[in-house]
Amino acid sequence: MARSPEYRQDKIIGEPMLNKPFYITTPIYYVNDRPHIGHSYTTIAADLLARYQRLNGREAFFLTGTDEHGSKIAEAAASAGLEPKAFCDRVVEHFKKTWDNLSIEYDDFIRTTDDRHVRAVQKLLMTLKDARTEAGQPVIYTGSYEGLYCVGCEKFLTEKDLVNGVCPDHKTTPRLLKETNYFFRLTAFLPRLKELIETNQLLILPEERRREALGLFGQELADFSLSRERVKWGIPLPFDPTQSAYVWVDALLNYYTTLKITNNEDFWPADIHLIGKEILWFHAVIWEAMLLSTGISLPKEIFAHSFYMIDGQKMSKSLGNVISPQELIDKFGVDGTRYLIASSFPYEKDSDVGWERFVEKYNADLANGLGNLISRVAKLCETKDYFPKNSPPTAISYLLENGDYQSHMEKLEFNLVLEEIWKEIKKTDVLINTKRPWEKSNEEAKKTLDEAIRNILNIGYALKPFLPGTAEKIEKIFRGGEKLEATLFPRATL
Ligand code: MSP
């Protein structure tokens, strides 16, 4: 759900930690189909990082949206028997609804078919048209190109990229295209770009992706065509409306132009462009070269994570092997889904997911772990006639101040952050098992319950970025004296 601007900063701890406000983006997703849990994975990660920054008192802007132009979308619309815009209007609602249902709090949602985006892109394209390289050559020039185009990737592939003649990601045969286009003089910016990545002025994480990006510079790279002659479903070039902007150029510009449109330029440069590893080339090379050519400062970091797999295959719309986020929400609830997705975050390795594993993890960690602890302590409070109405406020959770929590969070090692929190849950379970407050006098029991409640409030605070609904409920029960009506995480079955 869109956040209203005045809530962009939750000053819980006090003054902002750092002067530069935090800016995080997700890829803008293609609307050729509904979102699956692969998209949720990136969006939840960005949401929880933005929430974490706000918890630390830093202002944060979180941008997501949809990529709606190009052949891929035009073809999906045609097979649905709709005009492209009508088709996009329909699918975009699924994205927005999914993000709402997952408690995603973005600051803006940009659609590339928004007038505001189209105008801003055209303006920047004019800047590019007038730009010169250091050697004084125009950055944009006309030329013709012939190559194999994969509509799924919206990218020209070389013979080397193909496996048995098909695109390895989309399993489709690319088309031979020959067009006269406007070209972007990428080659003029490569040496500087390489240097920026080598010196980590543009940080690419994880390390394996940084190496991969640097490896790209060893290959023979050519200038790329920035426009399409035959693609009608796109933004017309302001200096030649017979051509439309290449869909990737149109899409990448959103990261910068949306801040401009909304008068939020002080958030630039982006602190993190969070992406999946398959689009590293576009972010580490194409996007950065465009920024260099216009003199706009580069983002600080690109974080390219790995994939959710199903039976060893990347989960993807084109392969049709997807799990929908709504199915997960229906079974595990919003916070249960956020937990399962965040804790499985295999940022370096692809990892197979499936229902069995989800159910098992949910039952172990949420139904039996956190949920059970909350129910147990709430019930003990009732039987021991103890209503923890005025528990002292935890201004900041000691877990949040814990160096491990912070460093894991900064490296997007969410599974490890959660492990830290779950240690605290286990510790509190052990405390109750050892002290056995149910056998003690009310007075004696209160001491143990006080300690358990302190731990639970602390756990709740540390869980705020991950499980916002549960964190709020914990506050209400153990500080507000609200009665726990039913267990927060009922057991799930396959
Ligand atoms: N429209 C482009 C991005 C333009 S950004 C300027 C695009 N869209 S997409 O719909 O294909 O989304 C790709 C992104 O979705 C990936 O980079 C990743 O963030 C996420 N994922 C898609 N499938 C995924 C998995 N199977 N696993 C994890 N994340 C995945 O590319």
Side-chain angles (χ1 to χ4, degrees):
M1 192 168 308
R3 292 162 49 81
S4 60
E6 64 268 33
Y7 291 116
R8 222 174 271 149
Q9 185 179 11
D10 299 339
K11 274 201 180 181
I12 292 174
I13 299 164
E15 289 310 305
M17 266 189 343
L18 298 162
N19 290 332
K20 152 94 178 58
F22 181 78
Y23 177 36
I24 187 161
T25 64
T26 69
I28 50 171
Y29 304 107
Y30 287 128
V31 287
N32 56 325
D33 209 342
R34 297 171 182 210
H36 59 70
I37 61 168
H39 309 110
S40 311
Y41 178 102
T42 320
T43 309
I44 288 176
D47 179 66
L48 69 88
L49 284 167
R51 285 174 186 266
Y52 169 68
Q53 292 291 339
R54 291 186 192 114
L55 212 52
N56 273 323
R58 190 169 169 196
E59 210 179 340
F61 193 98
F62 161 26
L63 179 65
T64 190
T66 41
D67 193 353
E68 306 187 5
H69 287 128
S71 314
K72 182 177 175 122
I73 307 302
E75 287 176 18
S79 12
L82 288 170
E83 283 302 312
K85 181 63 168 56
F87 175 75
C88 294
D89 287 347
R90 194 166 80 179
V91 184
V92 80
E93 286 313 312
H94 292 293
F95 276 88
K96 288 190 169 167
K97 189 155 175 270
T98 302
W99 302 154
D100 283 355
N101 291 351
L102 281 170
S103 293
I104 303 293
E105 288 187 341
Y106 48 76
D107 292 288
D108 208 330
F109 187 105
I110 192 80
R111 298 180 56 181
T112 55
T113 52
D114 283 347
D115 267 352
R116 56 182 189 149
H117 173 79
V118 172
R119 270 184 271 120
V121 165
Q122 288 186 321
K123 210 163 157 197
L124 232 146
L125 287 170
M126 283 310 289
T127 313
L128 273 177
K129 172 88 174 99
D130 296 336
R132 295 284 177 274
T133 65
E134 260 180 30
Q137 291 170 303
V139 169
I140 293 183
Y141 62 93
T142 46
S144 64
Y145 192 82
E146 182 173 327
L148 296 169
Y149 195 78
C150 171
V151 173
C153 299
E154 289 281 17
K155 184 183 176 188
F156 280 107
L157 301 181
T158 62
E159 292 286 352
K160 266 202 314 247
D161 297 323
L162 307 181
V163 176
N164 301 327
V166 298
C167 161
D169 281 346
H170 297 96
K171 317 274 185 249
T172 49
T173 313
R175 300 171 191 167
L176 186 69
L177 279 191
K178 187 172 181 193
E179 285 198 343
T180 299
N181 300 138
Y182 287 88
F183 276 69
F184 178 90
R185 209 177 293 275
L186 176 68
T187 42
F189 300 96
L190 293 174
R192 174 80 184 123
L193 189 50
K194 182 166 178 239
E195 186 189 325
L196 289 168
I197 299 175
E198 271 168 350
T199 54
N200 287 338
Q201 290 176 76
L202 167 61
L203 190 60
I204 298 183
L205 289 172
E207 178 55 28
E208 200 183 327
R209 301 279 89 80
R210 179 174 171 272
R211 275 200 302 271
E212 184 186 326
L214 284 170
L216 296 169
F217 292 89
Q219 302 168 15
E220 251 179 54
L221 298 178
D223 296 341
F224 69 90
S225 56
L226 158 143
S227 64
R228 291 283 176 273
E229 198 178 15
R230 289 197 204 101
V231 178
K232 298 294 166 229
W233 181 236
I235 298 182
L237 293 189
F239 45 86
D240 181 353
T242 66
Q243 299 250 343
S244 66
Y246 172 35
V247 60
W248 269 100
V249 169
D250 164 355
L252 287 162
L253 288 174
N254 97 87
Y255 295 138
Y256 177 73
T257 49
T258 306
L259 291 186
K260 266 199 104 70
I261 300 164
T262 56
N263 288 326
N264 280 303
E265 282 142 292
D266 52 332
F267 283 89
W268 190 261
D271 290 80
I272 306 180
H273 285 319
L274 191 58
I275 59 168
K277 63 181 178 179
E278 85 286 21
I279 53 179
L280 183 63
W281 158 258
F282 295 103
H283 287 77
V285 181
I286 303 267
W287 174 224
E288 309 307 328
M290 287 201 292
L291 289 170
L292 281 177
S293 73
T294 45
I296 300 171
S297 49
L298 264 48
K300 294 186 182 167
E301 178 182 325
I302 296 171
F303 194 103
H305 63 69
S306 298
F307 296 139
Y308 269 143
M309 312 288 278
I310 298 257
D311 302 327
Q313 292 252 57
K314 182 189 170 204
M315 182 186 300
S316 81
K317 291 172 280 197
S318 30
L319 300 182
N321 56 353
V322 300
I323 296 183
S324 98
Q326 197 54 50
E327 283 177 279
L328 247 72
I329 297 170
D330 291 345
K331 206 175 202 32
F332 305 114
V334 181
D335 279 7
T337 303
R338 287 177 67 102
Y339 177 79
L340 291 174
I341 291 184
S343 61
S344 70
F345 205 84
Y347 71 96
E348 251 168 334
K349 283 196 206 96
D350 293 339
S351 78
D352 246 23
V353 286
W355 284 103
E356 221 164 286
R357 215 168 305 168
F358 279 144
V359 168
E360 210 174 283
K361 185 145 182 73
Y362 168 89
N363 283 336
D365 297 355
L366 293 175
N368 298 342
L370 179 62
N372 185 49
L373 176 68
I374 294 171
S375 301
R376 203 176 173 200
V377 176
K379 222 170 275 152
L380 276 167
C381 285
E382 261 180 59
T383 52
K384 289 292 162 189
D385 218 11
Y386 183 43
F387 302 99
K389 248 204 145 73
N390 298 312
S391 325
T394 34
I396 174 167
S397 149
Y398 55 82
L399 271 172
L400 203 71
E401 278 184 321
N402 172 328
D404 288 341
Y405 183 114
Q406 287 180 5
S407 78
H408 291 320
M409 202 69 172
E410 255 129 57
K411 286 187 258 165
L412 280 77
E413 294 167 337
F414 305 130
N415 48 338
L416 301 183
V417 177
L418 291 166
E419 272 175 29
E420 288 295 316
I421 302 176
W422 255 254
K423 276 186 208 156
E424 200 67 15
I425 294 177
K426 293 220 173 72
K427 208 176 90 188
T428 313
D429 265 332
V430 171
L431 168 84
I432 295 170
N433 294 346
T434 343
K435 294 275 170 84
R436 308 172 71 82
W438 58 90
E439 291 176 348
K440 305 282 164 61
S441 69
N442 285 8
E443 220 29 59
E444 267 295 292
K446 264 179 209 166
K447 283 190 210 144
T448 309
L449 290 175
D450 263 340
E451 196 177 337
I453 288 167
R454 226 179 6 256
N455 290 354
I456 293 177
L457 286 171
N458 184 37
I459 290 162
Y461 197 92
L463 280 175
K464 276 183 178 212
F466 297 89
L467 314 182
T470 309
E472 202 183 317
K473 199 85 192 153
I474 287 177
E475 287 270 323
K476 283 193 177 145
I477 298 167
F478 296 106
R479 183 161 302 128
E482 193 178 289
K483 205 165 152 30
L484 174 68
E485 297 297 348
T487 172
L488 294 184
F489 298 103
R491 274 190 77 77
T493 47
L494 249 187

